[in-house]
Amino acid sequence: MLPGLPAMLDQLIRTPSVSCSTPDFDMGNRDVVNLLAGWLETLGFAVQIMDIPGQPDKANLIAQLGSGPGGLVLAGHTDTVPFDEQRWQVNPLALTERDNRYYGLGSTDMKGFFPVAIEAARAYAGAKLKEPLFIVATADEESSMDGARQLVVEGVPRARVAVIGEPTDLTPVRLHKGMMMESVTVTGRSGHSSDPALGNNALEAMHEVLGALLAYRSQLQSRYRNPAFRVSVPTLNLGCIHGGDNPNRICGECELHFDLRPLPGMDSAQLRSEIQRLLTPIAGRLGVNIQLRSLFPGIEPFEQPADSAWVQTVERIAGRRAEAVAFGTEAPFLQQLGIDTVVLGPGSIRQAHQPDEYLEMAQIQPAINLLKQLIRQCCL
């Protein structure tokens, strides 16, 4: 028998599935996928488990109820960020009910969406659907987006519209910024600090790189603006820098990591080319090597047009206008599959990625009701 919603959420939270770019913290997600697969098969879904190449402990889940063209996708990711157990007041790997909230790692971001989606689907398990209902669960959204990228490689699911259940306080989201994480490595030549001619200081060259990047940021912010966003311009953040090893040595190498969050309409490949064109003359003038590389493939900006039928349908059923958010999602990848996409789910992004993460219980039944109406609209 299918467990109730609290029991499903408890089992999901008790099944750790951290994804992280640091191998020491990274885990698989197959146990979470297997839980979801069993519950969805109980409801009559046909279940496909999709391997992630090169990662035997990771997989996507594609569950389909009904057949035919079109259909609605309810999508989410199975992984969570790492956690600092000593900073939690409750057990992060168990469901704790307190103060009308469900506490636990991933309760909001975003394991809590799956029991909500399953409860909504339960109402139509025996119905004859005119278009199929898909529930999709991906791997590694919090690190590499490899799960979503594999969906694009394999061209599935083939559907008409989608809801990604990231925590938005049940407010539809139709656009968000992209995310690029880049590294600049300057390689000079080390030497004794008593004579600058004995080396070529990479830290001094990095000083020019920093100035060029900050000037470029100002140019971008004067060229691009979108008032739909609370921060209406693209941002470029200098995140961390490492260089040298001792005060009495000329620094031989220095590395900078930064992130750039482009607005919809900006192209990541073009931005990287522009940055490279900034760095090349600095390298030539100072006689150093400067390498620009991406720390991960990045997420493109996302925009579903305000006048699209899907946005207007979701706005009508949710009773709220669609908004813009700064955080990234898997929406651009579903769009690559030709699926009109909106981001909408219970919980607040303010609770994500921090100790004592929780999902407000008051949002759960409204979320179920909203998804039931969308399923009825799209699939019946």
Side-chain angles (χ1 to χ4, degrees):
M1 294 182 62
L2 189 66
L5 187 147
M8 283 191 281
L9 183 54
D10 182 50
Q11 290 185 55
L12 292 172
I13 290 172
R14 287 179 183 274
T15 308
S17 53
V18 170
S19 74
C20 184
S21 56
T22 302
D24 289 347
F25 298 121
D26 195 54
M27 303 176 179
N29 74 324
R30 282 187 179 267
D31 289 342
V32 173
V33 164
N34 290 337
L35 278 174
L36 295 173
W39 296 334
L40 290 165
E41 286 175 337
T42 299
L43 291 181
F45 280 78
V47 170
Q48 173 192 356
I49 295 179
M50 175 189 293
D51 295 336
I52 307 299
Q55 301 188 72
D57 58 345
K58 300 191 178 185
N60 292 334
L61 170 75
I62 302 172
Q64 179 175 344
L65 187 67
S67 60
L72 167 65
V73 175
L74 303 179
H77 62 83
T78 58
D79 57 317
T80 71
V81 292
F83 60 99
D84 304 307
E85 186 169 6
Q86 69 276 10
R87 297 181 60 198
W88 284 67
Q89 298 181 44
V90 298
N91 183 356
L93 296 179
L95 182 67
T96 299
E97 181 180 340
R98 192 176 70 192
D99 301 327
N100 294 314
R101 296 167 175 171
Y102 285 136
Y103 287 85
L105 180 66
S107 55
T108 285
D109 187 18
M110 59 173 294
K111 290 181 175 180
F113 178 70
F114 291 112
V116 167
I118 290 170
E119 284 297 321
R122 189 201 296 252
Y124 303 101
K128 182 173 177 60
L129 304 182
K130 68 175 185 180
E131 293 188 29
L133 172 64
F134 298 89
I135 293 182
V136 173
T138 58
D140 280 5
E141 189 270 352
E142 297 289 8
S143 53
S144 64
M145 294 271 180
D146 281 348
R149 296 181 203 281
Q150 192 61 29
L151 294 178
V152 175
V153 169
E154 303 206 16
V156 291
R158 297 180 179 89
R160 181 170 57 87
V161 293
V163 168
I164 296 179
E166 292 277 5
T168 68
D169 285 312
L170 300 180
T171 297
V173 168
R174 68 171 189 86
L175 65 168
H176 65 63
K177 294 181 180 180
M179 182 171 65
M180 302 164 56
M181 290 187 178
E182 308 297 309
S183 165
V184 177
T185 302
V186 177
T187 305
R189 189 174 71 257
S190 60
H192 199 288
S193 64
S194 63
D195 184 353
L198 295 176
N200 192 348
N201 198 307
L203 266 172
E204 293 184 12
M206 183 62 81
H207 178 266
E208 291 213 23
V209 170
L210 293 171
L213 287 174
L214 293 177
Y216 180 62
R217 180 176 69 184
S218 296
Q219 294 170 18
L220 289 179
Q221 293 178 347
S222 65
R223 284 159 49 189
Y224 300 101
R225 184 174 297 272
N226 189 325
F229 290 89
R230 185 180 63 83
V231 179
S232 62
V233 293
T235 58
L236 189 156
N237 177 66
L238 305 176
C240 62
I241 190 167
H242 305 279
D245 51 28
N246 216 46
N248 63 355
R249 262 169 50 93
I250 296 169
C251 176
E253 184 171 283
C254 185
E255 184 174 19
L256 168 74
H257 291 179
F258 68 93
D259 91 340
L260 198 164
R261 296 182 183 253
L263 293 166
M266 300 172 67
D267 180 73
S268 298
Q270 178 185 338
L271 293 169
R272 288 190 186 95
S273 294
E274 291 178 355
I275 294 170
Q276 185 63 62
R277 286 197 295 271
L278 291 175
L279 301 180
T280 300
I282 297 174
R285 186 172 69 255
L286 299 181
V288 296
N289 178 270
I290 301 180
Q291 181 187 19
L292 175 69
R293 64 183 178 90
S294 297
L295 295 172
F296 88 120
I299 308 166
E300 292 300 319
F302 158 67
E303 181 172 13
Q304 188 69 41
D307 60 357
S308 78
W310 182 230
V311 168
Q312 293 176 356
T313 295
V314 177
E315 286 179 330
R316 175 176 54 80
I317 292 175
R320 303 180 187 182
R321 293 290 300 274
E323 297 180 356
V325 294
F327 60 86
T329 76
E330 296 172 318
F333 300 98
L334 293 187
Q335 278 193 326
Q336 289 182 53
L337 292 168
I339 303 172
D340 289 349
T341 303
V342 168
V343 182
L344 171 70
S348 170
I349 197 65
R350 293 184 296 275
Q351 301 306 321
H353 298 194
Q354 64 173 299
D356 298 327
E357 176 184 354
Y358 64 80
L359 175 63
E360 293 280 2
M361 294 170 64
Q363 289 198 24
I364 290 175
Q365 193 57 51
I368 294 170
N369 294 341
L370 198 160
L371 293 184
K372 286 168 68 174
Q373 291 182 68
L374 291 174
I375 295 170
R376 186 181 306 117
Q377 174 80 26
C378 297
C379 303
L380 290 180

